[in-house]
Amino acid sequence: MNGLQILGTGRALPAHRVTNDDLAQRVDTNHEWIVARTGIHERRFAQGETLTQLTVQAARQALERAGLTVADIGLCITATVTPDYLTPSQACLIHQELGLPEDCPAFDLSAGCTGFLYAMETAAAMLPRMSRPYALLVGGELLSRIVDMDDRSTCILFGDGAGAAVVKTDPEAPWFCHLGTRGRQEVLWALGPGNHPAYLHMDGQEVFQFALETVPALARQLLDKAGLDKDQVDWYVPHQANHRIVASVAKRLKVPLEKFYENIASYGNTSAGTIPIALDEMVEQGLLKDGQWVMCLGFGAGLTWGGALFRWKSMEER
Ligand code: UT7
């Protein structure tokens, strides 16, 4: 199957910062507990911004960095569980705002925090059949919409934000991907519209154990597929759910923690947003260099998990 090359990335975060001390004024918690148990110092909550505004801002930046225009895009996928409308999809709202071409299909994909990995693999499969070789992939959430601000076990974890990537299908690009699902509604769920608040409910410890069971095995599976050793991977880009999960995964894989990119301290868990936001920050900081191996690893509601292992190509080499 053709691989994907990431040509440009973007991100957008709401302006409003919510510190741990802010949350401690509402629920029985404190900064020390949150930092020790999660690594989170603050998160962003939208105050008036819509998901459309954030995702469009991230998408515009990704297009600009890719040196492409909307007329080049042949596919648009958004990974989210908190779209602005039930219908049309968030991807259609982005399509409208950006003025994407009519022969560019646009749709949403719901795979919880693994959504961006599902979007990448879907694009890898679909793009060779599209009229143009470029896709706009967006992952973003306004989780503050569905977080119960009186539940201290969840309100401290989640945040709002969006990331985007413009990708190109490439038969030469090494691309190793694995996606998994274990249908388990009762571990992490939120009801749709109705008489009940659509709050997020989570068995935190079960998600924690699930992550430690699946993510190291997923990383090994990808390394096997690629015929690489763990030390040949230059960057691991994990879903940002909990620093302790990242540290345990690194320990189990016997990979130095410094090879795992982390930004959970600033944003908390933005679900489908974490991986594209992280990639965009890494680009901006000059961390991703031509020829480097990058492994993205995600897990979340579903339960779902997914990983992608690919080679970074710098703009100059394209
Ligand atoms: O993207 C995927 C989405 N979700 C995740 O990845 C979540 C994965 N799970 C986690 O990150 C962790 O399980 C949590 C951060 C949610 C919780 O950490 P924990 O170390 O598993 O804590 P716990 O649930 O075992 O709770 C320990 C104690 C409990 O008190 P008791 O029963 O020991 O007296 C909780 O009531 O900590 C209490 N607690 C809190 N205390 C202060 C729970 N939340 C808080 C809080 N502040 N915010």
Side-chain angles (χ1 to χ4, degrees):
M1 188 171 82
N2 279 21
L4 288 185
Q5 249 184 45
I6 297 180
L7 302 183
T9 57
R11 70 179 188 278
L13 283 309
H16 181 55
R17 293 181 144 84
V18 178
T19 64
N20 294 338
D21 287 338
D22 292 335
L23 293 178
Q25 288 180 13
R26 171 126 186 195
V27 290
D28 181 15
T29 190
N30 58 75
H31 178 70
E32 291 67 31
W33 190 97
I34 299 173
V35 171
R37 296 293 183 124
T38 71
I40 300 168
H41 288 239
E42 61 177 37
R43 71 287 294 143
R44 307 289 180 89
F45 282 172
Q47 276 196 329
E49 296 103 330
T50 62
L51 189 62
T52 303
Q53 285 167 337
L54 295 181
T55 49
V56 164
Q57 189 185 329
R60 284 211 166 100
Q61 191 191 324
L63 276 166
E64 198 183 309
R65 288 213 172 131
L68 296 174
T69 70
V70 289
D72 296 311
I73 300 299
L75 176 67
C76 174
I77 307 176
T78 302
T80 187
V81 297
T82 51
D84 282 343
Y85 290 80
L86 269 182
T87 193
S89 68
Q90 189 62 45
C92 286
L93 302 177
I94 295 170
H95 193 287
Q96 179 173 0
E97 282 295 312
L98 290 179
L100 287 167
E102 286 198 354
D103 61 351
C104 166
F107 60 93
D108 286 1
L109 178 157
S110 168
C113 303
T114 322
F116 198 75
L117 275 312
Y118 272 65
M120 287 208 281
E121 182 67 339
T122 304
M126 286 182 71
L127 263 185
R129 302 171 65 88
M130 297 291 108
S131 49
R132 284 174 297 280
Y134 306 106
L136 171 61
L137 307 180
V138 183
E141 308 284 359
L142 294 194
L143 288 170
S144 60
R145 280 180 169 156
I146 58 168
V147 161
D148 178 355
M149 291 307 300
D150 292 318
D151 175 4
R152 69 176 181 172
S153 69
T154 53
C155 73
I156 55 141
L157 284 177
F158 297 102
D160 300 341
V166 170
V167 298
K168 181 190 178 194
T169 178
D170 182 352
E172 310 282 302
W175 180 258
F176 305 95
C177 187
H178 184 82
L179 303 176
T181 298
R182 182 186 304 161
R184 289 289 310 279
Q185 166 271 324
E186 64 280 12
V187 182
L188 181 46
W189 57 278
L191 276 177
N195 295 328
H196 310 277
Y199 287 150
L200 201 81
H201 302 265
M202 181 180 69
D203 182 335
Q205 286 192 5
E206 184 152 355
V207 179
F208 202 104
Q209 290 312 317
F210 155 72
L212 295 191
E213 178 204 327
T214 50
V215 178
L218 170 65
R220 288 190 199 105
Q221 225 165 349
L222 291 171
L223 291 169
D224 280 352
K225 277 190 189 179
L228 290 179
D229 181 79
K230 62 182 169 45
D231 298 327
Q232 289 175 273
V233 175
D234 298 281
W235 283 108
Y236 291 84
V237 186
H239 168 48
Q240 312 284 315
N242 187 320
H243 167 69
R244 283 160 55 219
I245 294 178
V246 176
S248 299
V249 168
K251 198 169 166 195
R252 280 163 199 232
L253 287 174
K254 299 193 172 57
V255 170
L257 189 54
E258 298 72 51
K259 278 196 172 187
F260 283 72
Y261 185 78
E262 289 192 81
N263 61 11
I264 193 168
S266 312
Y267 308 132
N269 178 350
T270 57
S271 189
T274 63
I275 286 179
I277 290 171
L279 287 172
D280 186 53
E281 286 193 337
M282 294 173 80
V283 168
E284 217 163 73
Q285 292 167 28
L287 297 177
L288 295 169
K289 305 217 166 34
D290 195 54
Q292 285 186 333
W293 283 101
V294 179
M295 186 188 287
C296 298
L297 294 162
F299 61 92
L303 298 166
T304 56
W305 62 98
L309 174 58
F310 54 91
R311 231 170 170 166
W312 191 258
K313 209 165 190 180
S314 70
M315 274 309 266
E316 300 78 58
E317 301 300 322
R318 282 172 195 146

